[in-house]
Amino acid sequence: MVVRTQCKGRGITGLHVGVNNVRRYFPKDISVIELQLDHLQIQCGLRPEFWNGEPDIFDPRLCAWLEARHMHGRCTRSPVPLAMIPSGQNAFKLQPVERRIHRQNRIEAVQGHAA
């Protein structure tokens, strides 16, 4: 699944997962997921709002990793797309999206809105 960074100010950066991805990949009975960030593995809590229209993940360690690796230490209004790949039960690997895949997803999204 493709997710996007979400910056609410310096030091408050997380992931916007999207409502459809939440329905598809996140059972309502879980409160914690594991994220593999390069060599680092962390557990992130999911707030109840995650399933009720606020499909965002915020964690200080995730924030530091996102800002250092993908946002170069600055909060930007332009979200960065990332691949969140299931890697086990309630576990995901986060990695950059290949440009080709991201471009194809954008084309499909535009075509879907035109239909």
Side-chain angles (χ1 to χ4, degrees):
M1 82 185 97
V2 176
V3 299
R4 299 184 184 290
T5 58
Q6 182 177 34
C7 184
K8 292 187 174 184
R10 184 158 173 78
I12 308 173
T13 300
L15 295 175
H16 180 75
V17 176
V19 173
N20 291 333
N21 287 333
V22 168
R23 283 190 209 124
R24 185 173 185 180
Y25 295 101
F26 298 88
K28 284 189 175 185
D29 62 342
I30 63 168
S31 60
V32 175
I33 62 167
E34 290 185 11
L35 288 179
Q36 183 177 343
L37 315 171
D38 296 327
H39 66 280
L40 178 66
Q41 190 164 340
I42 64 172
Q43 290 187 341
C44 296
L46 301 176
R47 302 173 316 153
E49 295 84 8
F50 183 75
W51 291 273
N52 295 317
E54 293 181 34
D56 307 312
I57 300 171
F58 288 97
D59 180 275
R61 298 158 299 173
L62 173 61
C63 174
W65 183 82
L66 289 170
E67 289 184 359
R69 299 279 294 165
H70 297 284
M71 302 176 87
H72 310 293
R74 65 182 188 275
C75 182
T76 176
R77 296 287 176 214
S78 301
V80 176
L82 296 168
M84 193 168 169
I85 302 163
S87 61
Q89 188 170 352
N90 305 326
F92 301 87
K93 181 177 182 178
L94 207 57
Q95 63 186 39
V97 171
E98 293 182 32
R99 276 198 165 317
R100 183 180 84 249
I101 294 171
H102 176 60
R103 184 169 179 266
Q104 183 63 35
N105 285 342
R106 285 182 45 205
I107 290 168
E108 289 171 1
V110 169
Q111 290 172 344
H113 290 300

